[in-house]
Amino acid sequence: SNYDDTVMERYLADEVITRDDTLDHLEVEVDMLCYEILALEQPVARDLRFIATALKIVRDIERIGDIAVNIAERARELIQEPELKRMVTLPLMASAAQNILKESLDAFVNEDADLAEKVIESDTAIDDLYEQIFRELLTYMIEDTRNISRAIKLIFIAKHLERVGDHSANIAEMVVFMVNGQDIRHATRMGRG
């Protein structure tokens, strides 16, 4: 039933917000472990790159957690409002953002530079989906001013998903650095426009 769906949606949004504290705590823990290893083990070459990568990746993951909280907060607001026209592209974008994040973390865990390169390329597709959603929602706002409040919240969600793609691409770039010892951050940004 519709009531059950609303209760479940609110529960899921609350769960995301609550679990962000765990993510923040884990970020601090990983940072401390990395600094401890740096101080005690004095790693060199590949091990040092691994530690440097872990320190940077954990920051991106924590930011993605913050983004998830922002999305959950918008979702809680949207539950109260009547549904806008069925947004087919937004769930596709959410799925693509989840996928690119998973692949970036898989690339890190498996030290897979090829998968990392694929993630970097996939980020462009997420950017394209954002542009498409933005244009679609703008049209709804122009058609009927009563759509403005809801459409703006959906644009914020789409922008947050686009940021998940950016953070996932950052993780992937660090994986390429870790595996190949090659910093491609600015080169790929310029190449992607």
Side-chain angles (χ1 to χ4, degrees):
S1 80
N2 208 12
Y3 172 76
D4 290 339
D5 289 347
T6 302
V7 169
M8 185 54 142
E9 288 163 355
R10 188 169 288 120
Y11 168 78
L12 290 172
D14 291 345
E15 187 72 10
V16 168
I17 292 164
T18 305
R19 289 168 71 183
D20 185 53
D21 289 342
T22 306
L23 205 53
D24 292 344
H25 185 77
L26 288 170
E27 179 197 18
V28 172
E29 213 172 290
V30 170
D31 276 355
M32 286 171 52
L33 281 170
C34 287
Y35 291 129
E36 198 175 300
I37 291 168
L38 283 171
L40 300 176
E41 306 293 327
Q42 297 177 347
V44 292
R46 194 176 175 103
D47 290 339
L48 184 58
R49 287 200 310 268
F50 177 84
I51 300 293
T53 301
L55 282 167
K56 288 198 180 232
I57 284 176
V58 79
R59 191 168 301 122
D60 280 298
I61 293 170
E62 190 277 330
R63 289 200 180 124
I64 290 169
D66 293 343
I67 290 168
V69 168
N70 291 331
I71 291 171
E73 287 169 347
R74 291 300 78 73
R76 283 202 307 204
E77 293 167 9
L78 287 165
I79 291 167
Q80 317 296 328
E81 298 181 28
E83 191 168 351
L84 197 61
K85 206 179 265 182
R86 173 67 65 197
M87 291 288 301
V88 178
T89 318
L90 196 58
L92 282 176
M93 187 181 187
S95 179
Q98 284 180 301
N99 194 44
I100 192 177
L101 173 58
K102 183 190 180 305
E103 287 183 344
S104 71
L105 296 173
D106 286 347
F108 173 65
V109 169
N110 299 314
E111 298 185 13
D112 186 340
D114 292 335
L115 181 56
E117 295 279 3
K118 182 179 165 237
V119 166
I120 294 164
E121 289 166 23
S122 298
D123 183 38
T124 310
I126 291 180
D127 294 343
D128 293 345
L129 285 170
Y130 171 72
E131 293 297 327
Q132 189 180 334
I133 289 167
F134 183 83
R135 284 193 301 273
E136 190 177 340
L137 289 166
L138 202 55
T139 305
Y140 293 157
M141 289 189 278
I142 292 166
E143 284 172 3
D144 187 345
T145 55
R146 290 173 297 184
N147 292 334
I148 290 175
S149 170
R150 186 167 181 83
I152 286 174
K153 288 176 184 127
L154 290 168
I155 287 171
F156 279 134
I157 288 173
K159 187 63 184 170
H160 289 316
L161 291 170
E162 191 256 342
R163 293 293 301 137
V164 170
D166 291 344
H167 284 295
S168 300
N170 291 346
I171 291 169
E173 288 168 350
M174 289 308 300
V175 169
V176 172
F177 166 71
M178 178 181 76
V179 175
N180 298 337
Q182 171 192 10
D183 190 340
I184 62 165
R185 286 176 298 179
H186 299 294
T188 56
R189 289 276 184 260
M190 289 177 213
R192 283 186 281 179

